[in-house]
Amino acid sequence: MDDLTGFQRDLLYVIAGADQPSGQNVKEEIERYYESEINHGRLYPNLDTLVNKELVEKGQLDRRTNYYAITDTGEQVIQDRREWEVQYVEL
């Protein structure tokens, strides 16, 4: 996870917390968090990066809509990150 941007990390968390969200679902959720509009030119290349790193898989819901799902590797990366964070911040 150390090679991901903060935005990519946030996308990974959104996908991990949802059940195969579409790109539009991810966009809506991340826009709520960032409290600003996220354009497609920023969103989809970053989702593709997560797919290329095998942290997320991309599938097709229909001819126009893709879904994203966390992979086992993606889950492990999140778990490793949480273990690292706990060394420094315990709530």
Side-chain angles (χ1 to χ4, degrees):
M1 183 162 314
D2 61 332
D3 63 339
L4 298 180
T5 66
F7 184 70
Q8 291 166 346
R9 236 184 348 256
D10 293 342
L11 292 174
L12 185 63
Y13 289 152
V14 166
I15 293 165
D19 183 26
Q20 295 186 339
S22 67
Q24 185 62 35
N25 296 138
V26 172
K27 181 180 184 293
E28 290 167 359
E29 190 62 35
I30 209 78
E31 284 177 339
R32 273 193 287 279
Y33 177 71
Y34 278 63
E35 297 181 348
S36 66
E37 186 174 339
I38 305 297
N39 67 46
H40 288 84
R42 180 177 184 199
L43 177 68
Y44 289 101
N46 282 287
L47 288 171
D48 288 342
T49 296
L50 296 176
V51 171
N52 292 338
K53 291 181 179 289
E54 299 181 353
L55 302 175
V56 168
E57 68 179 22
K58 178 179 169 181
Q60 203 169 35
L61 291 173
D62 59 43
R63 294 176 65 187
R64 293 190 46 170
T65 308
N66 292 322
Y67 72 82
Y68 296 88
I70 192 84
T71 63
D72 290 341
T73 302
E75 287 180 353
Q76 185 61 53
V77 164
I78 289 172
Q79 182 61 37
D80 293 346
R81 172 69 183 208
R82 293 180 132 206
E83 290 172 8
W84 179 80
E85 287 173 347
V86 130
Q87 296 177 62
Y88 304 101
V89 180
E90 191 171 329
L91 303 175

